[in-house]
Amino acid sequence: MRIVKSIFLGLFLMLLIGCVGFTFWLRDRYVVPILTYHHVGIPSCKWRLNTVSEKSFEYQMSFIKRHGFQVLSFGDLVDGLKKGIQFSRNAVVIQFDDGYEDNYTYAYPILKKYHFPAIIFLVSDKIGSPGFLTWDEVKVMERDNVVAGAHTRHHANLPQLTLEQAKDEIAGSKKMIEEHLGHTIDYFCYPSGGFTESVKGIARDAGFKAAVTTNRVSLGLILIYMNLSAFI
Ligand SMILES: [Zn+2]
């Protein structure tokens, strides 16, 4: 009986030490979460995973406000990471992908209400077409710290393109957005998170300060989608 007790006590101590160790391990690996949105508004389909309702978006933003999270601009995140700044554990970044018109209609008024900065990565050749933002809408949002980044010309899967095609998609989107907005575009987002070392080099050569990707992290059977930064 004493042996059984000793075994249980040993296992308990091992578990306790493991938990404490894991907590410290996590603390050292803390990264600023990037909350990434696509559509905001009424989902056209109940199961559309890349849409959040206006009500839910409002709730999420009010949650951030009520609980005192610090919403960093994407630029602050990049600058801080390059300087090796230790961010507070309540820091978050808000990001939108693709440049859908509902971002202006539903998300922008809420972001403005809470004075939250955000970045919208635009698929440049889609801007102005049905369902997407117009250049004027992008300009209006930029006045309230909801700024534009580049997301290729056609939402291309970059690793599948030739280097010339990838260059056109990456540098072409930067050029087009800069021409319409009249300022430099510093940040890039890889469509569907896809990049290679060559693609990364093209983004660097195009003049971007940083690029962001979406990584899928597998924890056993659970697949977690995370935005991890691939800085260049
Ligand atoms: Zn996208």
Side-chain angles (χ1 to χ4, degrees), residues 56-69 114 116:
S56 180
F57 186 75
E58 162 76 47
Y59 180 79
Q60 291 173 31
M61 296 302 109
S62 72
F63 182 94
I64 288 172
K65 191 76 175 179
R66 272 186 284 122
H67 291 273
F69 282 92
Y114 291 107
F116 286 162

Side-chain angles (χ1 to χ4, degrees), residues 30-36 69-70 72 77 88-95 226-227:
Y30 181 74
V31 288
V32 175
I34 299 179
L35 309 178
T36 302
F69 282 92
Q70 183 192 6
L72 302 174
L77 173 67
S88 72
R89 293 182 64 81
N90 64 355
V92 294
V93 169
I94 300 171
Q95 170 183 327
M226 294 178 75
N227 259 28

Side-chain angles (χ1 to χ4, degrees), residues 38 97-98 123 151 155 191-192:
H38 288 80
D97 277 6
D98 305 342
V123 179
H151 197 36
H155 208 272
S192 310

Side-chain angles (χ1 to χ4, degrees), residues 98-99 123-133 153-155 176:
D98 305 342
V123 179
S124 61
D125 288 41
K126 294 274 189 185
I127 300 305
S129 57
F132 285 83
L133 294 163
R153 292 183 58 194
H154 305 97
H155 208 272
M176 183 186 273

